[in-house]
Amino acid sequence: MNITFRGGVHPDDCKEYSRDAALTVYEPSGDLVFPVSQHIGKPAKILVKKGDPVLVGQKIADNDGYISADIHSSVSGKVKAIERRRTVAGSMVDCIVVENDGLYNTVEGFGEDTDYTVLDRKQILFRIREAGIVGMGGAGFPTPVKLEPKNPDAINYVIVNGAECEPYITCDDQLMRTHAAEIVTGLKIILKLFDNAEGVILIEDNKPEAIEAMKSVVGSQRRIRVQVAPKKYPQGGERAIMKVVTGLDTKLAVLPADYGCIINNVGTVYAIYEAICKNIPLIRRAVTVTGPGINNPSNLIARLGTSCRELIEAAGGFKEGEEIKKILSGGPMMGIAMSSIDVPLQKGNNAITVLTEDPVEIAEEMQTACIRCGRCNRACPVGLIPQEMQIAAEKKDYDRYENKLYGLECIQCGSCTYVCPAKRPLMVLFKHAKTEILAIKRAEQAKAAAEKALADKQEKESLMELFRKFREEEEKAARKATENETRVQAIIASGKEEK
Ligand code: SF4
Ligand code: SF4
């Protein structure tokens, strides 16, 4: 019997737009833009300056600490500018702009074959870090950090997340259909780091060709199996995957490694294969450009830094005669509305979805008060109570939201919003609450740090004052001693004269 996770929903998967569009390589024509922050953690430190020549695969920004990631140029050419530019999420970020010379000259050793079986644990982790690999399912967490849990021997499952449960998106499906052998090799590389683990490739049952392709490569290999899960959203969430693979019910605020699991997206595992076996850092990715507003929904292999406008044009552009209501980075459940398409493709961007209807706009028109039906609570895959969270979020009662209702555990999957008959904008409220709570925490941390710095300064000043007074006293005493000595000497001298 198939084990499933609690809650979840069954939206129309809308995969028909692009599911059979073969992966095709798109070469950019415009400038390439590389934001220094494409990952969770500290932004990378820029290594180049305006006018510098660069090559494909050249490191142009260096990770700034353990939770950070390198950035590499995906083309050859010249650094045209280093400036702040808008990114997919809408924020302004420091970016390296490279003028593409169209030659694609590479750094030495790029694409060179390496036998991964001769590499040890340290060499594998070093190469993955040097390749700038981060989670490519959207989260952008630096992969080397994930691959170094406290106790590697306690890892029982290395899971390749091929669920691709978000509606419309099909690039992982295509990647599995066409690069199954490379993905299995990537998994074997990760398994070298975890002696006690079994490799599991988890795929939803709406991808029969991918299942077949992966199964034919896996065959009867020891330590690796393909697990098929019934289609249900959000199957690709880490908590859902852990339940389906291990059967364990996971507690809140616990990492997959605490349950013996390491989970990586299909694209990330493919990037690990390229980094280790081909000496190619993370410079390109599979991306779906789809939706009812696109002429030729496509799955593309695109160089990072390519303009999203170019990618939309590569997929035939917007459909004429259709009113484009919304453009999303990602899919309709978890995607981000794009305010501009003149933004670069980043490591974590798996799709551009062009909609001719705006579900948020429609919901806003139909919105009513909460009828307390509890459907949102039953749909939440994390086990939260969205019905209560919305009240706390609206009242800005963030103490209750965070500490009583565990609102920060929300994975923003949108299942609650999807089932709500009153069309309450639940996920939007939760996103907003999270942003505000984190901003408050940051401000509190900054205030505490400033207060500590002030207290340290005052303590230092009072110590200095104490020291100064002590020195003064000492000098005064020394002066007095000298005067006394002089007087004694004078008395002795005058006594001698009288004699
Ligand atoms: S699903 Fe909507 S109407 Fe029902 S309890 Fe939740 S918020 Fe209220
Ligand atoms: S958006 Fe958050 S609260 Fe709503 S169902 Fe998903 S995890 Fe639960």
Side-chain angles (χ1 to χ4, degrees):
M1 196 186 81
N2 274 318
I3 298 173
T4 187
F5 60 96
R6 86 176 290 287
V9 290
H10 294 91
D12 183 355
D13 72 12
C14 300
K15 306 270 189 192
E16 66 278 7
Y17 285 97
S18 58
R19 68 181 304 281
D20 291 323
L23 273 178
T24 47
V25 174
Y26 174 74
E27 294 297 12
S29 53
D31 294 341
L32 282 290
V33 179
F34 303 95
V36 295
S37 191
Q38 302 187 32
H39 48 263
I40 289 173
K42 286 177 93 176
K45 292 178 289 185
I46 297 173
L47 297 172
V48 290
K49 58 183 186 316
K50 189 178 170 185
D52 282 356
V54 292
L55 297 168
V56 179
Q58 182 179 328
K59 193 191 287 187
I60 51 175
D62 202 8
N63 71 78
D64 188 10
Y66 190 54
I67 305 189
S68 184
D70 297 345
I71 312 277
H72 301 79
S73 179
S74 61
V75 294
S76 58
K78 197 181 265 187
V79 177
K80 192 173 170 183
I82 291 174
E83 60 193 22
R84 287 179 82 72
R85 291 263 185 120
R86 194 164 299 287
T87 60
V88 163
S91 51
M92 298 296 283
V93 173
D94 286 338
C95 291
I96 302 162
V97 184
V98 174
E99 192 178 330
N100 182 9
D101 62 12
L103 300 174
Y104 301 105
N105 292 323
T106 61
V107 290
E108 215 184 308
F110 183 95
E112 237 169 51
D113 288 330
T114 302
D115 176 6
Y116 77 89
T117 60
V118 302
L119 301 177
D120 64 21
R121 173 186 180 78
K122 222 171 149 186
Q123 289 167 321
I124 289 172
L125 287 168
F126 176 77
R127 280 175 172 239
I128 292 172
R129 180 167 280 279
E130 282 296 295
I133 299 175
V134 304
M136 291 168 74
F141 193 75
T143 301
V145 181
K146 224 183 207 185
L147 297 181
E148 285 189 289
K150 274 187 218 136
N151 184 5
D153 289 340
I155 298 301
N156 302 316
Y157 298 97
V158 171
I159 303 167
V160 180
N161 179 2
E164 200 170 52
C165 59
E166 176 81 38
Y168 286 98
I169 307 176
T170 54
C171 57
D172 283 353
D173 182 3
Q174 278 291 329
L175 198 63
M176 288 188 283
R177 291 197 215 180
T178 53
H179 293 77
E182 292 87 341
I183 293 165
V184 171
T185 304
L187 174 55
K188 286 180 180 172
I189 293 167
I190 306 175
L191 283 170
K192 265 182 78 93
L193 306 173
F194 304 103
D195 291 342
N196 301 327
E198 176 191 20
V200 180
I201 302 162
L202 185 87
I203 312 174
E204 272 195 345
D205 61 5
N206 60 349
K207 302 173 190 65
E209 296 88 350
I211 293 167
E212 191 49 42
M214 297 305 304
K215 278 189 172 171
S216 75
V217 173
V218 168
S220 55
Q221 289 189 48
R222 212 175 53 81
R223 286 187 80 191
I224 299 182
R225 66 181 163 92
V226 175
Q227 183 169 338
V228 179
K231 180 173 90 75
K232 183 165 104 167
Y233 181 86
Q235 181 69 68
E238 289 192 332
R239 199 176 294 271
I241 289 176
M242 284 193 285
K243 173 69 186 176
V244 168
V245 172
T246 69
L248 296 171
D249 285 310
T250 52
K251 288 188 188 139
L252 295 174
V254 176
L255 294 172
D258 298 324
Y259 284 92
C261 297
I262 297 288
I263 306 171
N264 283 291
N265 167 264
V266 163
T268 314
V269 178
Y270 181 74
I272 289 174
Y273 158 79
E274 286 214 310
I276 302 287
C277 299
K278 292 284 173 189
N279 199 23
I280 298 177
L282 184 49
I283 57 160
R284 57 190 176 196
R285 69 156 299 143
V287 56
T288 303
V289 185
T290 185
I294 282 286
N295 267 321
N296 304 314
S298 305
N299 293 300
L300 306 168
I301 295 281
R303 290 179 191 262
L304 298 178
T306 303
S307 159
C308 289
R309 181 181 292 279
E310 276 192 50
L311 296 176
I312 288 169
E313 281 161 13
F318 297 124
K319 255 191 194 157
E320 270 180 40
E322 291 282 1
E323 192 183 349
I324 305 303
K325 283 285 182 78
K326 197 160 216 173
I327 305 171
L328 297 161
S329 168
M333 297 297 281
M334 293 186 82
I336 303 167
M338 294 169 70
S339 57
S340 165
I341 56 171
D342 294 310
V343 290
L345 178 74
Q346 296 184 189
K347 294 177 182 181
N349 300 149
N350 53 5
I352 300 169
T353 307
V354 180
L355 301 177
T356 49
E357 282 185 347
D358 182 352
V360 176
E361 208 177 274
I362 295 169
E364 272 169 6
E365 282 167 19
M366 296 167 69
Q367 194 179 313
T368 64
C370 170
I371 57 167
R372 306 189 72 77
C373 66
R375 281 191 210 175
C376 53
N377 306 334
R378 291 192 289 279
C380 180
V382 181
L384 303 173
I385 315 171
Q387 183 185 345
E388 294 296 320
M389 283 160 62
Q390 63 163 335
I391 298 168
E394 276 173 340
K395 282 186 184 162
K396 292 190 187 288
D397 184 353
Y398 291 145
D399 181 37
R400 178 171 160 75
Y401 185 87
E402 183 186 355
N403 301 314
K404 295 273 179 350
L405 300 168
Y406 302 99
L408 290 187
E409 292 293 318
C410 168
I411 57 169
Q412 299 177 2
C413 67
S415 298
C416 50
T417 314
Y418 180 77
V419 294
C420 177
K423 303 291 172 203
R424 308 288 304 152
L426 301 170
M427 193 178 78
V428 174
L429 274 172
F430 304 155
K431 266 188 185 177
H432 188 67
K434 184 176 180 178
T435 308
E436 286 212 337
I437 290 170
L438 295 181
I440 291 167
K441 280 182 192 286
R442 272 196 302 274
E444 281 171 358
Q445 278 166 359
K447 193 174 165 222
E451 280 170 1
K452 186 172 181 306
L454 184 67
D456 287 350
K457 190 172 169 245
Q458 283 169 344
E459 192 185 344
K460 197 174 160 194
E461 279 171 2
S462 66
L463 277 171
M464 292 289 284
E465 180 62 17
L466 217 68
F467 183 64
R468 192 180 59 73
K469 279 189 180 149
F470 178 71
R471 286 287 301 270
E472 267 177 21
E473 292 296 323
E474 261 195 344
E475 280 167 14
K476 212 164 138 189
R479 269 199 311 276
K480 199 157 185 184
T482 311
E483 280 166 19
N484 287 345
E485 179 65 18
T486 313
R487 227 179 17 249
V488 170
Q489 291 299 335
I491 292 166
I492 293 169
S494 67
K496 274 183 186 166
E497 273 169 25
E498 277 171 20
K499 277 180 190 171

